[in-house]
Amino acid sequence: MGRFRRRRCAPVLLCQIVDDRLEAILLRSADSLGDPSVEPWTSKRPLPPRSQVVLLLPRSEYLIRVLELPPVEVDEVAQMLRLEIEATLPREFGDTEVAYRRLNGATATSRRYEVYAVRRESLAEHLKICEQHDVQPDCVFPTAVLWARHLGHETAVDVLAVATKGGNWELATVQGDGQVASRTIGAHGTDAATLQTGLVEYLRPLLDQRGNAMPALRVGWLGGVCPAASNGRVVFESLTDLLVAPDVDEASSVAPLLALGATTLNDMQRTPELGTANLLPQWLQQHRLERSSLRAIATIACCALLGLVLVGAALQVAVVRYHAHSAGLGGRITAIQKGGEAVGRQLEQLEAVQRARATRGDLQRVLSGLYEGTPEEVSYNHVELGREGHLRLRGQAESLSMPFVLPERLEPLPMFQHVVLRDASQSRRGQGSVVEFHMEIQLVREEASR
Amino acid sequence: MMRWPRLHFGRSLHVREWGLLTAALFTIAAVLLVYHWLMPMYDQWTMLRAQVYAQQQELTTLERNLAMREAVEARFVELGRSVIQSESDQIILSRFLREIEAAARQPSLTLINMSPRPIDDNGTSKRYPVRLSVSGTPQDVVEFTAQVLNNSTVVGLESYSLRGVQGGHTIECTLSLWMVRLVEAAPSPDVVGDIALSQAKR
């Protein structure tokens, strides 16, 4: 048994099997502005995303037993109930799926449960029909869950009579501890006599239990025309107003059982104990989960492979295009290679000549610049020009102040830049003193300055 | 008695086994795809891209060269044949040294030392470096340098050092010069063949 939890705001497809047909309604949750909406659904329409599917199992398909258990862990309840109920069932019944609903009247030593058992084969047939209509139920509820919910909370009636599949009727009542007593009457569509007989047979024991002093037995009527007759001990009431009804014109085509189920599911957040009444086996849910995971893995793998193939195809296209481009470039290069390389060689030679000629005026430019910018009180005893046009000067001056004037006088000249006085000092020599300095200048060559 | 585990061939696989099988098949397919198809193709694509880039660079250079052909040829005409290497290195170097000696033959100028350096050949041109020292008046040294640098050949001045000689008005100058000679391109095999054929006919 898999516990069922209704997702908030998720649409629910509520369905029942009627003679190999699937009858279904789509229940959209209420939002903050309005009521929940119900609309008929056919398997031709796609289900909205995140939809949950609930299948209602009629009373004729399952058994109800009331069992008592000592207080046990919640997780162990289902297993213990299964063992208990399998012990009470005949071997011919075969494999079963079990769900339960806890009843009132717990004591310190025992808990009471209403257990629903369905033959696995019967459940499988229902699920197979669902699959034929592309529907996978997330939950299979016995109809007793609906009776318990409505007779216990929603209505003030004592008996509920609801038209179910194939013209059958389900009659149900709830006892004081919440236990459901229900029965199916086969009326075969319009056979009113059968219905009446079955109804009388069902109501008589109830009337006998109540006695004459009690008020009249109120029978809630869903589906078909509500009987108007009343003998003072039985009163029939139409419950159509209680249901979440469709707004569309097909209202009349929605089965009463589904409409009742929609009302139940709409309030399910308030009755979480119904979640244990799911007859859908957990292994099946696990199997579906694994299948969906496998499908996701396979899809991802296929997408990844497809991505690789696409990358490969893109590379292939790029390679072909580069090949063509390269061939075109190769042809153009071959056509002009000889002449272009010859000119390139000549250019290199001209550059070599240019480099040589650019240095021809270095000595003259340096000397003329120094003559122009040097005051008479300064003389040079060493001038050195390096490969990169780096000029180093050593000289003497009559006064220590003169070397400091030199950068300002040489810097404005076009052939010099970055004039830096490295050091200047006055030292004793013989009877007098001598001022010596060291300066560095960057020579601006004629070609570079153009 | 110990029982050997039985393998059940032919039974349908469980979902988990299908998942593992799918993952394994995907991994194998992906590895095969990547190693035998994608990576070689990626390498080929990378190589081709680099090749095309290099070809584009080369084409651009060649086209630019061709666009400058006329200007370059005009500059070559201006240079004249004297800068073309038409003799052996020894003869060219000897002539250059003789020109320097001739320029230094002045009464107030002394050629102190002179030494040629190893010839630098870069395929398109050759450099003949010479290092020399002269002493004389500044005027004479400047004139000597100008004469050496501005003769008919192409000569460059790599570096120099001027030093005043103590007790006189002379200076000592150490010069590093180089002369440039352009190397003519070897004729292509077709041209060589044509020349040989014409000589044979004669």
Side-chain angles (χ1 to χ4, degrees):
Chain A
M1 178 207 75
R3 187 176 283 263
F4 177 73
R5 285 190 183 84
R6 184 167 175 208
R7 289 195 289 264
R8 281 182 184 275
C9 302
V12 174
L13 184 76
L14 190 65
C15 49
Q16 67 171 348
I17 307 287
V18 180
D19 300 332
D20 293 347
R21 283 186 302 107
L22 188 77
E23 283 187 1
I25 58 171
L26 191 63
L27 172 67
R28 294 183 192 274
S29 294
D31 55 22
S32 57
L33 299 176
D35 295 328
S37 67
V38 172
E39 52 186 300
W41 184 87
T42 59
S43 56
K44 292 175 184 172
R45 288 174 53 191
L47 271 177
R50 296 182 69 244
S51 293
Q52 289 180 295
V53 179
V54 174
L55 175 67
L56 290 177
L57 205 62
R59 177 68 181 86
S60 55
E61 301 291 339
Y62 62 92
L63 292 174
I64 299 180
R65 294 278 191 279
V66 175
L67 298 174
E68 285 190 8
L69 287 180
V72 293
E73 294 290 327
V74 176
D75 296 341
E76 297 174 357
V77 171
Q79 188 60 26
M80 291 186 73
L81 289 175
R82 171 187 291 276
L83 292 173
E84 287 281 334
I85 201 166
E86 281 180 352
T88 66
L89 293 174
R91 290 183 68 116
E92 301 83 52
F93 197 78
D95 293 333
T96 55
E97 293 299 335
V98 175
Y100 68 91
R101 186 173 61 86
R102 190 173 162 182
L103 299 176
N104 301 328
T107 63
T109 56
S110 67
R111 303 278 187 273
R112 298 183 76 235
Y113 298 94
E114 188 173 75
V115 184
Y116 314 108
V118 61
R119 290 172 64 233
R120 192 171 286 173
E121 288 178 7
S122 173
L123 183 62
E125 284 175 15
H126 278 71
L127 296 177
K128 188 178 176 184
I129 294 171
C130 287
E131 276 186 18
Q132 287 171 354
H133 292 83
D134 296 330
V135 167
Q136 276 196 342
D138 301 300
C139 171
V140 178
F141 273 150
T143 48
V145 172
L146 309 183
W147 316 146
R149 170 68 189 153
H150 279 274
L151 290 169
H153 301 83
E154 296 291 336
T155 65
V157 298
D158 302 308
V159 177
L160 206 55
V162 181
T164 60
K165 69 174 187 177
N168 291 346
W169 288 77
E170 281 196 28
L171 303 174
T173 184
V174 172
Q175 295 172 6
D177 59 352
Q179 181 183 341
V180 174
S182 70
R183 180 180 170 187
T184 302
I185 301 173
H188 306 295
T190 57
D191 190 352
T194 310
L195 173 62
Q196 190 175 357
T197 307
L199 196 59
V200 169
E201 285 177 2
Y202 185 79
L203 294 178
R204 184 176 293 149
L206 295 175
L207 290 169
D208 292 345
Q209 285 175 7
R210 292 172 73 90
N212 294 331
M214 294 291 285
L217 190 69
R218 301 172 65 185
V219 179
W221 200 266
L222 266 175
V225 181
C226 178
S230 175
N231 59 3
R233 297 188 65 190
V234 179
V235 177
F236 292 95
E237 293 180 12
S238 175
L239 298 180
T240 313
D241 297 342
L242 291 177
L243 303 178
V244 174
D247 301 327
V248 294
D249 295 338
E250 298 92 338
S252 58
S253 66
V254 174
L257 186 65
L258 296 180
L260 191 70
T263 309
T264 305
L265 286 169
N266 201 41
D267 289 338
M268 197 163 176
Q269 304 295 352
R270 285 190 288 168
T271 53
E273 72 274 9
L274 294 184
T276 60
N278 183 11
L279 280 165
L280 193 71
Q282 196 168 8
W283 63 264
L284 184 61
Q285 293 181 5
Q286 187 67 28
H287 183 69
R288 284 181 185 166
L289 187 66
E290 286 178 351
R291 282 181 72 89
S292 64
S293 302
L294 174 64
R295 203 172 294 128
I297 290 172
T299 308
I300 291 169
C302 288
C303 289
L305 277 177
L306 187 65
L308 287 176
V309 170
L310 281 176
V311 170
L315 279 174
Q316 184 75 59
V317 170
V319 164
V320 169
R321 292 186 63 183
Y322 270 122
H323 262 305
H325 194 189
S326 177
L329 285 175
R332 289 171 65 187
I333 287 172
T334 307
I336 61 172
Q337 191 166 23
K338 204 170 176 182
E341 282 181 353
V343 176
R345 181 185 174 85
Q346 287 177 325
L347 277 171
E348 280 182 33
Q349 291 175 333
L350 285 176
E351 197 179 338
V353 171
Q354 189 66 28
R355 273 201 300 272
R357 285 188 168 168
T359 60
R360 283 195 303 195
D362 283 359
L363 180 62
Q364 196 129 13
R365 282 168 66 79
V366 168
L367 293 181
S368 64
L370 291 179
Y371 274 119
E372 188 180 341
T374 307
E376 288 183 358
E377 296 85 354
V378 176
S379 62
Y380 303 97
N381 55 12
H382 187 86
V383 178
E384 184 182 335
L385 181 72
R387 282 186 180 181
E388 306 299 327
H390 191 67
L391 192 62
R392 276 186 239 161
L393 302 171
R394 287 179 200 274
Q396 295 168 340
E398 293 180 2
S399 162
L400 187 58
S401 63
M402 296 311 294
F404 292 93
V405 178
L406 273 176
E408 282 194 12
R409 299 192 63 162
L410 295 177
E411 188 78 47
L413 299 175
M415 65 284 287
F416 297 139
Q417 64 180 8
H418 307 312
V419 181
V420 180
L421 180 66
R422 288 292 177 199
D423 66 69
S425 61
Q426 188 167 15
S427 57
R428 186 173 178 182
R429 183 167 296 178
Q431 297 300 317
S433 65
V434 62
V435 174
E436 292 180 322
F437 64 90
H438 174 207
M439 207 158 54
E440 290 183 357
I441 304 172
Q442 182 63 42
L443 175 68
V444 180
R445 290 202 162 106
E446 278 182 320
E447 290 299 317
S449 63
R450 272 179 205 168
Chain B
M1 184 182 169
M2 198 180 86
R3 288 191 175 189
W4 293 99
R6 282 188 181 177
L7 294 175
H8 297 279
F9 293 106
R11 69 174 169 83
S12 61
L13 296 178
H14 291 297
V15 175
R16 203 165 294 170
E17 291 167 336
W18 274 113
L20 288 172
L21 187 64
T22 308
L25 285 175
F26 166 72
T27 308
I28 292 169
V31 167
L32 288 175
L33 264 178
V34 168
Y35 277 92
H36 292 282
W37 188 47
L38 284 181
M39 284 183 69
M41 200 176 297
Y42 177 77
D43 292 341
Q44 194 181 2
W45 173 67
T46 311
M47 188 196 69
L48 275 172
R49 194 175 57 168
Q51 182 181 327
V52 165
Y53 179 75
Q55 282 179 318
Q56 280 174 337
Q57 297 288 321
E58 187 181 356
L59 182 66
T60 306
T61 306
L62 291 175
E63 286 176 343
R64 193 185 57 209
N65 290 349
L66 285 178
M68 292 189 293
R69 171 182 269 176
E70 290 182 4
V72 168
E73 284 177 353
R75 293 284 302 276
F76 257 78
V77 171
E78 285 175 17
L79 277 178
R81 296 291 300 173
S82 60
V83 295
I84 306 295
Q85 189 195 20
S86 53
E87 295 164 310
S88 68
D89 291 340
Q90 287 81 3
I91 291 175
I92 291 170
L93 188 58
S94 166
R95 188 171 296 153
F96 180 42
L97 295 175
R98 210 161 43 236
E99 285 177 4
I100 294 173
E101 285 170 348
R105 266 188 217 111
Q106 294 178 38
S108 56
L109 195 74
T110 308
L111 183 60
I112 300 169
N113 60 47
M114 182 163 67
S115 62
R117 298 299 173 101
I119 299 166
D120 178 20
D121 184 358
N122 65 5
T124 58
S125 61
K126 285 184 179 179
R127 286 166 59 131
Y128 299 85
V130 174
R131 187 176 175 84
L132 60 97
S133 296
V134 292
S135 69
T137 62
Q139 181 69 26
D140 290 339
V141 169
V142 170
E143 282 179 6
F144 164 75
T145 309
Q147 193 175 344
V148 170
L149 291 174
N150 294 311
N151 65 6
S152 57
T153 57
V154 178
V155 181
L157 178 61
E158 186 174 341
S159 63
Y160 64 82
S161 170
L162 295 174
R163 188 169 63 84
V165 178
Q166 202 167 6
H169 295 287
T170 59
I171 59 172
E172 185 179 316
C173 177
T174 303
L175 296 164
S176 289
L177 306 171
W178 84 87
M179 185 183 64
V180 176
R181 281 297 167 100
L182 306 181
V183 180
E184 276 190 315
S188 65
D190 296 342
V191 177
V192 172
D194 292 345
I195 293 170
L197 193 63
S198 62
Q199 285 178 348
K201 279 180 181 174
R202 263 185 248 154

